[in-house]
Amino acid sequence: MVEIKTDAALDAMRVAGRVVADALAAAQAAAAPGVRLLELDEAARTVLREAGAGSPFLGYQPSFATTPFPAVLCVSVNDAIVHGIPDASRLRDGDLVSIDCGALVDGWAGDAALSFAVGTARPEDQRLMDTTRQALEAGIAAAVAGGRIGDISHAIGSVGRAAGYGIPRDFGGHGIGRQMHEDPSVPNDGRPHRGFRLRHGLVLAIEPMFLAGGKDTYYEDGDGWTLRTTDASRAAHFEHTVAVTDEGPRVLTAL
C-alpha cells in the first residue's frame, strides 16, 4: 500500500531528514586513517541522541537477515556495497567508504547515504563516486508529479550503464514515511513511463549503488548483512529521501 503524505507530514519528515544529514556529516568528519569503523557509528549515535531521534537501523531485522542489525550506521568499505556492520577494524588511506543512516523523529523517518574516500582517493574511485552521485541527481530530477517510478529507474540506470558499472540486482530505493521501508520499490535500472504514477506527497528514498567491475552480481558476507561484489571490485552508494511535489522534487535529507 502506498501512502501519500500531507504537506504537514513532509515538513515533519524534513526534521528527521536534517538529523540524518547531520549524522552522516559527523560520521564522515570522524573518518581518517587509523579510525575504527565503530567510531563512525558512535559519531552518528551522538547526533541522534542529542537530537532526541531514534534509529530505524538499530535492531532492524527484515526477512533476509538472520540477526538484528547492531548499529545505527551502515559502514561499507571498498568491495562492500551496502549493509556493512561497523566493527573494530581500522580505516586505511585510500579506502572507499559508504555510510548509510536513518533517523526517526516524532514518528517520521529519514534515510540517506553517501560515499567518500579516506585520505587520498584513487582516480578510479573518484570517478565511481562522482558517477553514482550524478545518477542520484538524475533520479531526483526525474521524481516529478505526473511521471512514473520507471522514469526514476531509467534515469539512474542510464548513468550507470553508460559508465560501464554494474547495478546490484534486487536492491534499490523504496517508499518511506512512518516506516523506513514502504511501498513502492524504486529499482536502480528500468524502462521509462512504467510503474507507479508519481504524485504530490509521495516520498521516496532514491539510492543508486554502482559496482566498478561492471557485474550486477553480489554475495552476502558471513555476517548475514554485508553485500559484497563478486569480483572484489569497489562499490559506491548515494541516497536521499525525496518528496514528489507539484513544485518539483524536495530533498528532505539535504544539509
Side-chain angles (χ1 to χ4, degrees):
M1 179 178 176
V2 176
E3 180 189 7
I4 302 300
K5 279 70 177 179
T6 65
D7 289 346
L10 298 186
D11 290 341
M13 292 187 70
R14 175 62 176 137
V15 175
R18 283 197 178 96
V19 176
V20 173
D22 289 343
L24 288 173
Q28 182 177 2
V35 171
R36 297 184 187 274
L37 304 190
L38 281 169
E39 295 178 66
L40 274 61
D41 183 67
E42 184 53 41
R45 285 177 188 253
T46 297
V47 171
L48 295 182
R49 183 170 57 250
E50 291 179 351
S55 169
F57 287 22
L58 185 62
Y60 181 58
Q61 188 174 5
S63 58
F64 66 80
T66 56
T67 58
F69 195 76
V72 305
L73 188 73
C74 294
V75 185
S76 306
V77 181
N78 296 331
D79 66 323
I81 306 166
V82 287
H83 303 163
I85 297 175
D87 57 21
S89 60
R90 296 183 184 274
L91 293 169
R92 297 174 296 177
D93 184 72
D95 279 343
L96 195 167
V97 182
S98 297
I99 53 176
D100 189 353
C101 189
L104 291 168
V105 179
D106 294 330
W108 294 103
D111 186 12
L114 57 86
S115 296
F116 59 88
V118 177
T120 304
R122 306 190 311 182
E124 59 270 33
D125 290 346
Q126 191 62 57
R127 175 177 178 267
L128 174 63
M129 290 185 288
D130 289 345
T131 304
T132 311
R133 187 186 297 107
Q134 290 165 10
L136 173 59
E137 293 170 354
I140 293 171
V144 295
R148 292 187 179 273
I149 290 290
D151 299 335
I152 300 173
S153 302
H154 179 71
I156 292 170
S158 294
V159 174
R161 297 302 186 194
Y165 294 138
I167 300 173
R169 302 168 183 165
D170 307 320
F171 283 87
H174 49 88
I176 182 171
R178 292 287 184 182
Q179 304 294 325
M180 179 171 61
H181 290 133
E182 297 181 352
D183 292 331
S185 63
V186 187
N188 284 326
D189 199 8
R191 299 173 64 181
H193 317 306
R194 293 176 178 267
F196 189 84
R197 186 171 294 280
L198 308 178
R199 53 177 289 197
H200 182 95
L202 177 66
V203 185
L204 304 170
I206 300 174
E207 51 177 324
M209 312 160 195
F210 290 166
L211 317 184
K215 297 181 178 179
D216 295 350
T217 53
Y218 59 87
Y219 70 95
E220 186 181 277
D221 206 345
D223 62 15
W225 275 98
T226 308
L227 302 184
R228 296 187 181 275
T229 61
T230 55
D231 58 4
S233 65
R234 293 189 170 190
H237 176 209
F238 284 86
E239 176 184 16
H240 269 310
T241 296
V242 181
V244 177
T245 80
D246 291 334
E247 293 74 41
R250 181 183 179 189
V251 180
L252 302 178
T253 44
L255 276 171

